[in-house]
Amino acid sequence: MTRPPLLIESPQNPQFKLWESALESRGLKKNGKFLLAGLKTVPEALRHHPERFERVLFTDPAQITGWRLPPGVEPVQLAPALFRTLDVSGTGFPLLVGTVPKMPAIDLSQPPQGLELLCALGDPSNLGALLRSAAAFGVSRIVLLEGAAHPFHPKCLRAASNAQFALTLLRGPRWAAVNEAAGPLYALDGGGEDLTRFDWPADMRLILGEEGQGVPADCPATRLSVPTTGAVESLNATVAVSVALFARYASVKL
Amino acid sequence: MTRPPLLIESPQNPQFKLWESALESRGLKKNGKFLLAGLKTVPEALRHHPERFERVLFTDPAQITGWRLPPGVEPVQLAPALFRTLDVSGTGFPLLVGTVPKMPAIDLSQPPQGLELLCALGDPSNLGALLRSAAAFGVSRIVLLEGAAHPFHPKCLRAASNAQFALTLLRGPRWAAVNEAAGPLYALDGGGEDLTRFDWPADMRLILGEEGQGVPADCPATRLSVPTTGAVESLNATVAVSVALFARYASVKL
């Protein structure tokens, strides 16, 4: 750095207040900025997706000594109390400020392109874990139905391990409108066809409900199930979807 | 019921204090009682594993009207404030008091019997999710290394969906002693052999470290990896193990 970074000490500072708004879904929607935290995820995101970010926040300039900041990323020093307010996971490591990408609305009357995951998970940690598995196993598009958590919520970012930057995220309609989506349409269900014997189409939509709720009985999706011993009644929802995505990925890869 | 159930109203009641101790690992170890909660898990456990339980706790006798209680399970009514203290997940549904089973120490110098999972997960929710997948995919024995969460902690029970009653649970040594365990010995690692091409032995030990920590470099286990696109650096730990257990289960089943 050739000059000392900007220093912010007041909680009334408009920029600080903007960043603080990124801790809640409402502020994320209104202001379109998100905060990325994490000892592994921050350096990795800065290296692979520098165009996503505009600020790096820290309390001590020594924390970013030796960092090669991309041209568009400005260093900003925060008073410790302000930094702690933004560092909700308590990483003590520099934070990145990024811009929430545009998430266009999908037209579900059009056929799917690749494997599309339609989901309404309302818990940001659950959504983050799902995005991580989706990116790992080659999902092409994520359709966030009404009621889904915000994909750039701090808890979702924390669970997703930078999966947000590898996926195409689209906004979907309310849950009930899924029944009219163009197929092929599938859903996971304990009573469905054993997915280890399933011939996965290249283009398809896989529907996930909210936590603890199955797909409605009148939904026209074909049911697929993960085979188990039956010793427990069901799998954890994130685990079930991850296993399904893996089974498809492994069968396509072979 | 032929007579009104026992009613407990004082937080000083010795039985109540015993049950309250089941909310923490220390009390679970000292007193050997656990509390099961859940709208699905309580009726299911009472039906399939009645011998595990000795009390059913509620605030209003109408809550258990029509329940056929096994001979050894006594109904106990609690004052609402006492019940809420024990019902930490806020189910508002009757709770079961059970006895923590004996968990014998394993001798790791002996060869494995079936698929044994050696694990040190310290977070009870993570351990519970793992137990659920283990039961679903045919793990024969769980070896809890020193530092692992208590498998009957309320959070572990909540995440496991009654998997505890389907598994053989054993106590293991401290983490470092795993290096001397009799094999075949395996561990998951991003750089290992692709497990979709792996020929799973009938008897083997699979090692899981603590959250966020890999297996030590000097551990003699053969490394296996879940194939991914590489779009994220790693999978969620519970997801990775679940996928591995599924891959084995599906290959053995075929």
Side-chain angles (χ1 to χ4, degrees):
Chain A
M1 287 178 294
T2 52
R3 58 192 172 96
L6 180 67
L7 171 64
I8 296 181
E9 297 179 291
S10 163
Q12 301 309 323
N13 177 286
Q15 287 215 69
F16 172 74
K17 290 179 80 157
L18 176 72
W19 301 329
E20 196 180 12
S21 79
L23 301 178
E24 300 291 344
S25 302
R26 217 177 60 169
L28 280 162
K29 272 186 209 155
K30 190 176 162 207
N31 300 318
K33 299 297 173 193
F34 69 89
L35 291 171
L36 184 70
L39 279 68
K40 281 186 179 177
T41 44
V42 162
E44 190 199 73
L46 207 51
R47 194 163 57 242
H48 295 299
H49 309 283
E51 74 290 351
R52 302 270 197 164
F53 302 99
E54 58 189 40
R55 298 281 189 282
V56 56
L57 313 179
F58 49 86
T59 53
D60 179 348
Q63 289 179 291
I64 60 159
T65 301
W67 289 35
R68 278 196 289 184
L69 293 183
V73 179
E74 191 188 339
V76 179
Q77 183 176 355
L78 294 180
L82 302 195
F83 183 85
R84 281 195 301 270
T85 301
L86 302 182
D87 182 28
V88 283
S89 303
T91 63
F93 195 75
L95 302 171
L96 295 177
V97 180
T99 301
V100 175
K102 291 213 187 327
M103 294 182 267
I106 192 171
D107 178 0
L108 288 180
S109 70
Q110 297 301 309
Q113 302 174 20
L115 172 55
E116 295 181 358
L117 213 50
L118 277 54
C119 105
L121 290 179
D123 178 275
S125 298
N126 289 350
L127 179 61
L130 177 72
L131 295 181
R132 190 169 174 178
S133 293
F137 299 131
V139 170
S140 62
R141 317 209 297 176
I142 302 284
V143 180
L144 298 160
L145 302 172
E146 262 182 37
H150 197 291
F152 289 85
H153 188 284
K155 286 184 184 173
C156 189
L157 286 164
R158 188 182 181 190
S161 196
N162 288 354
Q164 281 83 353
F165 311 123
L167 292 163
T168 298
L169 302 171
L170 301 165
R171 280 179 302 114
R174 67 191 199 291
W175 176 244
V178 168
N179 282 4
E180 290 142 38
L185 208 57
Y186 296 91
L188 291 183
D189 184 289
E193 178 188 348
D194 178 345
L195 57 72
T196 59
R197 288 158 200 206
F198 178 60
D199 199 7
W200 298 86
D203 301 307
M204 62 177 277
R205 293 190 162 122
L206 184 62
I207 307 174
L208 309 175
E210 292 173 61
E211 289 90 349
Q213 299 190 16
V215 171
D218 65 348
C219 177
T222 302
R223 267 63 169 182
L224 300 174
S225 77
V226 176
T228 71
T229 59
V232 283
E233 204 188 88
S234 64
L235 291 165
N236 167 289
T238 303
V239 166
V241 179
S242 299
V243 164
L245 297 178
F246 163 77
R248 171 187 161 278
Y249 180 69
S251 76
V252 169
K253 192 176 63 79
L254 285 176
Chain B
M1 288 175 296
T2 53
R3 59 191 171 94
L6 180 67
L7 171 65
I8 296 181
E9 296 179 292
S10 162
Q12 300 310 322
N13 177 287
Q15 287 215 68
F16 172 75
K17 291 178 79 158
L18 176 72
W19 301 330
E20 197 181 11
S21 79
L23 301 178
E24 300 291 344
S25 301
R26 218 177 60 168
L28 280 162
K29 272 186 208 155
K30 189 175 162 210
N31 300 317
K33 299 297 172 193
F34 70 88
L35 291 170
L36 184 70
L39 279 69
K40 282 186 178 176
T41 43
V42 162
E44 191 198 72
L46 209 50
R47 195 162 57 243
H48 295 299
H49 309 282
E51 74 290 351
R52 301 269 197 165
F53 302 100
E54 57 188 41
R55 299 280 189 284
V56 56
L57 313 179
F58 49 85
T59 52
D60 179 349
Q63 290 179 290
I64 60 159
T65 299
W67 289 35
R68 278 196 289 184
L69 293 184
V73 179
E74 192 188 338
V76 179
Q77 183 176 354
L78 294 180
L82 300 196
F83 184 85
R84 281 195 300 270
T85 301
L86 302 183
D87 182 27
V88 283
S89 304
T91 64
F93 194 76
L95 303 170
L96 295 178
V97 180
T99 302
V100 175
K102 291 213 187 328
M103 294 182 267
I106 192 171
D107 177 0
L108 288 179
S109 69
Q110 297 300 309
Q113 302 174 20
L115 172 55
E116 296 181 359
L117 213 50
L118 276 54
C119 105
L121 290 178
D123 178 276
S125 298
N126 289 351
L127 179 62
L130 177 73
L131 295 180
R132 190 168 175 179
S133 294
F137 299 130
V139 171
S140 62
R141 317 209 295 176
I142 302 284
V143 179
L144 299 159
L145 302 172
E146 263 183 36
H150 196 292
F152 289 86
H153 188 283
K155 286 184 183 172
C156 188
L157 286 163
R158 189 182 182 191
S161 196
N162 287 355
Q164 281 83 353
F165 311 124
L167 292 163
T168 299
L169 303 170
L170 301 167
R171 281 178 302 113
R174 65 191 201 289
W175 175 245
V178 167
N179 282 5
E180 291 142 39
L185 208 57
Y186 296 91
L188 292 182
D189 184 290
E193 179 188 348
D194 179 344
L195 57 70
T196 60
R197 288 158 201 206
F198 178 59
D199 198 8
W200 298 86
D203 300 307
M204 62 177 277
R205 293 188 162 122
L206 184 63
I207 307 173
L208 308 174
E210 291 174 61
E211 290 89 348
Q213 299 191 13
V215 171
D218 66 347
C219 178
T222 302
R223 267 64 170 181
L224 300 174
S225 77
V226 176
T228 71
T229 59
V232 282
E233 205 188 86
S234 64
L235 291 165
N236 168 289
T238 304
V239 166
V241 179
S242 300
V243 164
L245 296 178
F246 163 77
R248 171 188 161 277
Y249 180 70
S251 76
V252 170
K253 193 176 63 80
L254 285 177

